[in-house]
Amino acid sequence: MPKKTSRAAANDVVTIEADVLVLGGGPSAAWAAIAAAENGARVVLVDKGYLGTSGATAPSNTGTWCVPPGEARHTAVERRWQRTGGLGDQRWMLRCVDTAYQNLLRLSEWGYPFPSEDDGRLYIANLRGPDYMRFMRRRVLAAGVTVLDHHPALELLSDGDAVVGAAGLARQASREWRVDAKAVVLATGGCAFHERILGSTGLAGEGYLMAAEAGASLSGMEFTGKYTLAPFGTSLNKGLPFRWASFYREDGSPILGPTGEPLTNGIGEREGEIARALIEGPVYARLDEAEPALQGWLRQGQPNCFVPHDRAGVDPFKDLFRITLRAEGTVRGTGGIHIVSDDCATGVPGLYVAGDAASREPMTGAVSGGGAVNSSWALASGWWAGRGASAHAKRRGAKPFHTQARRLGQAGLRPAASARADIQPKEVIEAVRDEVIPLEKNYFRSGARLAESSTRLEAVWRDVRDHLSGEGLGSIKAREAAAIAAVGRWSVAAAFMRTESRGMHRRSDFPDRSEAFTQQLLITGVDRFRIESSAGQPAELAS
């Protein structure tokens, strides 16, 4: 068990020692904690929310990229790789499907209640979010992991050579905490820019900011143009039923595809026509392409998709209902912390990353991993990161904990100048959202608009860096706002530098793909950051 070492009377800081500290509460965090514990480590898992209910997976049904062993596995990976815009890595993809399949089998062996197919075999390709995460919480606790719920992490700790823990604030006790650890796994999820989407409102990208402050790089941050159809006024970002929808403007005229065809039987590239129509005015849909048998299957397999309709007294298969496109940032985008080795190390000694906190470019390239691929990535990357972190902890051996470790957090915690009461987290977040959410700025990108957004975001960042701060629980909101501001400026700067269109990155001024950009763009730094290609070519120095 981790050792609780002290409670300082002056400011009531609870300090705990562990081999591995996992930050996060989604599936990748749970798998990392279990993997580290099974490898002999003393593990503490610290969650911003409540392990088992927080994050994007808990409220959802999610498929997995489930490919059994055999020759068909290489075929499946090759087929998926063709969709990545040339940025995927088939070796990583094969590793992922292999490890994810093994962990799905582990779930079955542990007693997770997978449904049975007609022939009696277990159907292990689908995970029911609430059941899955409740089950994972029990497994984490059974593995001997110490779980601290409602303990947001605010910053990492460094001894000058390596990351050696993290510190934060306990929400319910309004008390500071600190975990001294030999290795840290960041499994803090992506950044949804406070967009109201299912399970993602609290995903503010703090892990990205903490990693960048420690010296880690990020990649894929330009691939944040993923939007998902949702009933207007809801957080239900579940696009599956819209495969069988037809779409209409407010005057009742149908929205047609680029060559005049109806927008039915799937969305695909025709989603752009819906986005253009939404910029002009309200858009409505009806699921009238679904046959009766399919309607029953959809209701049974995606029950939460129909709750808003049932509450409103709408039959979505017969009645028109208003829709919108919800921005998904890096949750179903691609970007995140750059991985430098097979065990999900970040290049900063002692710091590992898993799940949506990591860049998924090796898995999905320039396109979204959606639910299935991202779900399998969480199963696999959590496992690798947990084992990598525990191996690092073993290499440190009996080296004493660095009690005077430096706190790395800056923006939102320690303003460069004096704190100002007129710089409020809510206003910061809204200013960032104004640049990264609108369809006309982020779905349809252009160099001129990106440059304008970058100028505005740099001004926001200067205010955040110099003047934003919070006391007590207010420090949590201030840190969230700082992270959202950082992620917004990184995303826009990388999108400006990628002068082509590829996957979910769409540039009206560069509509074609350029072979020169069949590589990653790496971002390093916080106040002043550098963007360079994965081939080592410098692209920009921003301030």
Side-chain angles (χ1 to χ4, degrees), residues 390-411:
S390 58
H392 178 87
K394 287 181 179 178
R395 289 193 295 272
R396 285 183 66 94
K399 185 177 180 179
F401 290 100
H402 199 296
T403 58
Q404 301 300 315
R406 182 165 61 96
R407 293 172 177 252
L408 299 181
Q410 295 296 320

Side-chain angles (χ1 to χ4, degrees), residues 304-363:
N304 57 349
C305 291
F306 297 91
V307 171
H309 302 305
D310 294 340
R311 287 176 176 170
V314 170
D315 182 347
F317 300 107
K318 297 180 180 178
D319 303 327
L320 286 174
F321 58 95
R322 190 175 173 185
I323 64 167
T324 190
L325 279 166
R326 290 286 189 195
E328 303 212 61
T330 63
V331 177
R332 282 188 181 166
T334 294
I337 302 162
H338 183 58
I339 292 173
V340 303
S341 63
D342 285 357
D343 59 1
C344 293
T346 65
V348 177
L351 187 62
Y352 297 77
V353 64
D356 291 352
S359 173
R360 279 135 289 153
E361 279 182 297
M363 286 296 299

Side-chain angles (χ1 to χ4, degrees), residues 36-61:
E38 289 192 358
N39 205 32
R42 299 173 300 158
V43 182
V44 173
L45 184 149
V46 175
D47 190 5
K48 181 179 181 180
Y50 181 86
L51 173 65
T53 63
S54 58
T57 296
S60 305
N61 263 15

Side-chain angles (χ1 to χ4, degrees), residues 26-33 35 57 62-65 96 99-100 103 127 132-133 136 187 344 353-358 360 363 371-386:
S28 63
W31 282 104
T57 296
T62 180
T64 62
W65 191 20
C96 179
T99 301
N103 281 347
L127 296 166
Y132 172 37
M133 291 311 303
M136 290 303 292
C344 293
V353 64
D356 291 352
R360 279 135 289 153
M363 286 296 299
V373 176
N374 282 355
S375 179
S376 288
W377 172 250
L379 284 159
S381 63
W383 190 259
W384 300 329

